[in-house]
Amino acid sequence: MIGLIIIVVLISLGTVAFLNTERFGKHPADERLSRIRQSPNYVAGSFQNLNDTPMLTEGVGYSKVMYEFLFSAKPKEPTLKVPSVKTNLKTLDPTENVLIWMGHSTYFMQLDGKKILVDPVLSGNASPLSFTTKAYKGTDIYNTDDIPEIDYLFLSHDHWDHMDYNTLKQLDPKTKKVITGLGNGAHLERWGYNPTKIIEGDWYDTIHLDQGFVAHITPTRHFSGRGFKRAQTLWASFVLKTPSTSIYIGGDSGYGTHFKVIGEKHGPFDLAILENGQYDEKWKYIHMLPGEQFKAANDLKAQSILPVHSGKFTLANHDWDEPLKKITAENIQSEKKVITPMIGEQVNLNDSLQQFTHWWESKN
C-alpha cells in the first residue's frame, strides 16, 4: 500500500511539474487580471460565451466521447503525401493582395503592403507532447525561417492547434505587433515577448493599427485553455479593415447569433475565413457542422469563404478530406465563392476568377 501511495504521489508531482513548464504559458495575474475582471464577458471567475454553450451536446457524456475517440473511431487519414506548392513569402510583389494557407488554421496574408500571420502552428504537431497530434505527411512545408517580418500577428485563442509555443518563440524577433483577446499576453510574455508589442482586447474593442488599418476584436462561440483550467483567456475572431479590403478572421466557433451581429456592425466582407473541420454532432456548439459555414457567411454578408481548420491534423472523428468534400458539394446550392487552395498555393485576393482544383481527391 505504501508503495502504491508513493507511485501516485510521484505521478501527481510529475504532472504538476509538467503543467508548469514554459510551453503551457501563464495564467493572467496582477494588472492583466484586474482588467479581465472588469470585462462584462468575465463572470464568476471565467469568460463566458454570449449564447449558452455546453461543451458537449445534451445527452452526451465525456466517457462516451473519450472511449469513441480512443478505441472505436477510425477516421481516415491520408495514405499518400498531401499535395502542396511552396510560395516564397519573402519575394512576393508588395503591391499584390495575396493569401497563403499553411494547413489547419494557419495562414499568411499580404494586404496593401502589410504582412499578416494568423494562428501559426509550424512545429509539426498540435499538442504539448511532440509525438502526438502529428501533422500529415506533406503538410508541414513551412517553418519559421520561411516567414518574413510580420506587421500584424493575430492569435484567436490559446488552444494548442492555434497558439504553438515553439513557433511563437521563434517568431518573436520577426513580429512587430500581436493582436489577441484578453489574457493571452500572459502566455506571450512568459515566452519572451515584449509587452509593448502585445495588444489585448475585449469583444468589440477597436484597434487602430496604422493609417488605413483597423482591427476589431469580435466574439466567437468556443472556449480556451492550455491545461486543466478553462476560460481564463478570451477566445476571439477579428475584423480586419485595410485601405482596399475587409476580411473576417473567424478563429474557432460554433454557429451562433454573433455572426449576424458582426455582419450588421462591420459587414459586408470581401472574405470570411471560417472553420470547417474537427466537428462532431457531440460537440456541435463549439465547432460548426457542415453547411453552417454558409449560414455564417450569409449573416456576415461575406462574398467569399476560405474554409480552414482541416487538412493537417486529426482532432475529430471524421475523415481528413470530409470537410472539403462537403463544403464543395454544398456550395452548388450557394452563391458564395468557396476558395480551396492547396497548402502553400498563392490565392490572389483581387482575382475573382481564380480557380482551384479538388487537390484532396485521390489522396486517400
Side-chain angles (χ1 to χ4, degrees):
M1 178 61 73
I2 293 175
L4 179 61
I5 292 173
I6 291 172
I7 292 172
V8 170
V9 169
L10 290 174
I11 292 173
S12 299
L13 290 173
T15 301
V16 171
F18 179 62
L19 291 173
N20 280 283
T21 56
E22 188 177 78
R23 76 194 74 183
F24 283 87
K26 186 178 180 180
H27 285 305
D30 304 324
E31 291 182 11
R32 178 174 279 112
L33 183 57
S34 296
R35 184 184 176 194
I36 286 172
R37 286 171 173 164
Q38 295 172 26
S39 168
N41 304 303
Y42 188 81
V43 180
S46 63
F47 284 105
Q48 307 291 325
N49 284 293
L50 299 177
N51 301 113
D52 181 41
T53 305
M55 292 295 297
L56 295 178
T57 303
E58 295 84 354
V60 177
Y62 282 100
S63 58
K64 179 181 179 180
V65 170
M66 289 302 298
Y67 181 86
E68 180 178 305
F69 190 79
L70 293 173
F71 301 110
S72 64
K74 300 294 181 185
K76 181 180 64 178
E77 297 188 350
T79 56
L80 301 174
K81 186 176 180 180
V82 174
S84 64
V85 55
K86 190 170 183 179
T87 299
N88 190 330
L89 307 181
K90 296 179 179 179
T91 59
L92 291 169
D93 181 343
T95 66
E96 291 184 327
N97 284 0
V98 301
L99 182 149
I100 290 89
W101 177 58
M102 300 176 182
H104 200 64
S105 292
T106 301
Y107 43 96
F108 169 91
M109 294 184 286
Q110 182 178 270
L111 302 173
D112 297 312
K114 297 293 186 183
K115 292 178 170 54
I116 299 150
L117 191 62
V118 179
D119 289 356
V121 179
L122 305 175
S123 64
N125 74 293
S127 163
L129 301 170
S130 61
F131 56 87
T132 62
T133 320
K134 301 286 286 184
Y136 304 145
K137 187 177 180 181
T139 64
D140 232 21
I141 62 171
Y142 285 98
N143 59 49
T144 54
D145 290 338
D146 300 313
I147 306 298
E149 191 172 71
I150 295 299
D151 294 292
Y152 313 133
L153 170 62
F154 287 89
L155 298 174
S156 65
H157 62 298
D158 67 2
H159 284 160
W160 295 89
D161 59 321
H162 293 259
M163 186 181 282
D164 181 47
Y165 163 70
N166 288 318
T167 300
L168 290 171
K169 284 274 286 187
Q170 293 167 30
L171 286 177
D172 180 14
K174 297 182 176 184
T175 302
K176 294 180 182 179
K177 293 179 184 177
V178 182
I179 302 95
T180 190
L182 290 174
N184 290 303
H187 299 313
L188 297 172
E189 287 178 21
R190 188 178 186 192
W191 300 338
Y193 278 67
N194 190 318
T196 60
K197 66 181 179 183
I198 302 170
I199 304 171
E200 297 173 71
D202 206 346
W203 290 336
Y204 294 115
D205 281 355
T206 296
I207 301 162
H208 295 275
L209 296 167
D210 289 293
Q211 184 67 37
F213 289 82
V214 178
H216 305 275
I217 298 178
T218 45
T220 71
R221 193 180 187 189
H222 199 56
F223 67 107
S224 65
R226 296 179 71 80
F228 290 129
K229 197 170 184 181
R230 291 176 177 158
Q232 300 305 294
T233 60
L234 187 65
W235 49 100
S237 58
F238 307 94
V239 170
L240 178 60
K241 304 278 188 176
T242 81
S244 69
T245 192
S246 179
I247 293 181
Y248 177 70
I249 298 170
D252 277 5
S253 183
Y255 181 74
T257 59
H258 60 287
F259 288 119
K260 191 169 185 62
V261 176
I262 294 167
E264 290 170 350
K265 282 178 174 286
H266 300 296
F269 293 97
D270 299 301
L271 174 66
I273 304 170
L274 299 171
E275 64 143 71
N276 175 54
Q278 320 315 323
Y279 50 74
D280 196 300
E281 284 282 354
K282 298 179 187 65
W283 51 81
K284 65 180 182 179
Y285 297 115
I286 58 172
H287 286 297
M288 279 189 279
L289 297 174
E292 291 183 324
Q293 295 78 17
F294 295 102
K295 292 169 62 178
N298 285 331
D299 290 348
L300 290 163
K301 305 175 187 175
Q303 295 178 13
S304 304
I305 300 171
L306 174 74
V308 298
H309 210 239
S310 68
K312 188 169 183 175
F313 304 112
T314 295
L315 298 169
N317 297 329
H318 58 68
D319 291 345
W320 81 277
D321 54 357
E322 180 183 291
L324 288 164
K325 284 182 176 179
K326 288 198 169 185
I327 198 167
T328 51
E330 290 164 359
N331 192 40
I332 297 172
Q333 308 297 324
S334 172
E335 296 180 355
K336 305 294 183 187
K337 179 181 180 181
V338 176
I339 299 169
T340 55
M342 285 188 288
I343 290 174
E345 183 177 3
Q346 180 172 318
V347 178
N348 301 311
L349 294 175
N350 294 335
D351 182 1
S352 61
L353 301 179
Q354 186 179 8
Q355 298 294 313
F356 302 93
T357 64
H358 288 193
W359 53 266
W360 55 91
E361 294 177 353
S362 79
K363 298 299 175 185
N364 299 322

